[in-house]
Amino acid sequence: MSTKEETKRPLTSKERRQRELRRKRMKKKRQQRAMLLMLMAVIAIAAVAGIIYGIVRLIGGRTGGDMPITPKGDTATILLDAGHGGADLGLSNDLLEEKAVTLAIVEKVQIMLENYGYEVILIRSDDTRISKEERIQSALDSKADLLVSVHLNYADDDSVSGVETYYRKGSEESRYLAEQVQKEAVAESEAKDGGVKTGSFSILDEVDLPAVMIEAGYVSNAREAGSLSDDSYQNLIAKGIARGIILSVNEE
């Protein structure tokens, strides 16, 4: 029988099994190569996306949905409002008076921001009662780039605690400022995150600049009240507020 004829002979059962095994192995190898190529493509795309994102962050400093605050002049002017004052004690208990805590925090924020080269204006710099109308007028007259008002909170449930930050609905710059201040204040103080919320307050609604109100903690919570009366904890809250402000300002 010729060699050509030998190749045409029927395969034995063993040969058929071997050929099927070879076919399956080849198919498996092709699938593995395809999966490897796909994985490499995904990794490459992710790497490129990461590089692009990094460039955008480096050039723009923020993502497209953010609304940082651009100063009107060469240096940002920050207006700080310490809630209450004088005969208006605000919230109080055996540990603290709100008017004293808010002023202490605001003065610490002032020092931190001025060390970074910002111009800082205080609506209240001593234990003086300033009316709502006077505060609003001070804000309007200040020509500041943004306003942060500091207050303390209260709840009937004395287990409630945490930091909350409010902004005027519809103001994207105020929202962005509130998010940064809230995030940094919580990170520094390790207080419970009460979140960023919209709220209707005269100091926010009746001024024509980005403005937020931070409730730095609950006087009604004994543990938090104790912290708020402590100078080192006030420093942490102040540092968070200052960092939040700095992150909110676009000076490029």
Side-chain angles (χ1 to χ4, degrees), residues 163 165 176-191 193 196 214 235-248:
V163 174
T165 305
Y176 186 71
L177 173 61
E179 289 174 348
Q180 301 309 309
V181 168
Q182 175 71 15
K183 178 184 68 176
E184 297 300 326
V186 168
E188 291 293 336
S189 67
E190 298 183 347
D193 188 350
V196 171
I214 179 170
N235 275 324
L236 294 176
I237 292 289
K239 183 179 178 181
I241 294 172
R243 282 180 55 84
I245 291 170
I246 292 168
L247 289 171
S248 301

Side-chain angles (χ1 to χ4, degrees), residues 24-251:
K24 288 182 178 180
R25 283 196 294 268
M26 291 297 294
K27 182 179 179 181
K28 186 175 181 179
K29 286 181 179 180
R30 286 195 298 271
Q31 290 174 336
Q32 289 175 336
R33 283 197 297 269
M35 291 182 65
L36 179 60
L37 289 172
M38 185 180 297
L39 179 60
M40 291 174 65
V42 170
I43 292 173
I45 291 170
V48 172
I51 292 170
I52 292 173
Y53 177 76
I55 293 172
V56 170
R57 294 286 289 183
L58 181 63
I59 295 174
R62 277 88 177 177
T63 59
D66 296 336
M67 288 292 292
I69 299 163
T70 300
K72 291 183 283 290
D74 294 334
T75 303
T77 299
I78 315 300
L79 182 63
L80 300 177
D81 174 42
H84 308 284
D88 178 9
L89 306 181
L91 300 169
S92 64
N93 58 24
D94 293 338
L95 295 172
L96 58 80
E97 292 179 345
E98 182 178 3
K99 67 171 185 176
V101 174
T102 58
L103 182 58
I105 291 173
V106 158
E107 289 176 336
K108 296 175 191 298
V109 176
Q110 178 186 22
I111 293 171
M112 295 174 188
L113 290 177
E114 287 179 341
N115 285 338
Y116 272 86
Y118 292 103
E119 181 179 349
V120 181
I121 301 172
L122 302 187
I123 289 181
R124 177 169 75 88
S125 58
D126 56 24
D127 187 20
T128 301
R129 183 184 184 281
I130 300 177
S131 69
K132 175 181 67 177
E133 292 75 18
E134 290 172 324
R135 291 176 193 270
I136 293 169
Q137 192 59 51
S138 293
L140 296 173
D141 293 341
S142 69
K143 307 301 181 184
D145 294 297
L146 64 89
L147 161 70
V148 174
S149 182
V150 180
H151 285 259
L152 302 184
N153 218 334
Y154 178 89
D156 291 333
D157 181 354
D158 61 11
S159 68
V160 176
S161 65
V163 174
E164 302 170 7
T165 305
Y166 292 83
Y167 70 97
R168 182 179 70 254
K169 185 176 181 180
S171 173
E172 289 303 302
E173 288 183 322
S174 296
R175 176 193 61 78
Y176 186 71
L177 173 61
E179 289 174 348
Q180 301 309 309
V181 168
Q182 175 71 15
K183 178 184 68 176
E184 297 300 326
V186 168
E188 291 293 336
S189 67
E190 298 183 347
K192 181 179 177 181
D193 188 350
V196 171
K197 308 172 183 180
T198 57
S200 181
F201 302 95
S202 58
I203 195 64
L204 305 184
D205 295 340
E206 299 181 36
V207 297
D208 57 353
L209 69 162
V212 302
M213 176 187 293
I214 179 170
E215 302 274 11
Y218 280 78
V219 175
S220 49
N221 182 288
R223 179 190 59 78
E224 197 155 70
S227 295
L228 288 165
S229 64
D230 181 72
D231 183 72
S232 60
Y233 187 80
Q234 293 171 5
N235 275 324
L236 294 176
I237 292 289
K239 183 179 178 181
I241 294 172
R243 282 180 55 84
I245 291 170
I246 292 168
L247 289 171
S248 301
V249 176
N250 179 12
E251 293 191 300

Side-chain angles (χ1 to χ4, degrees), residues 10-22:
L11 297 175
T12 65
S13 296
K14 181 178 180 181
E15 289 172 332
R16 283 196 298 270
R17 287 195 298 271
Q18 289 175 338
R19 187 170 69 174
E20 183 64 19
L21 286 172
R22 286 196 299 271

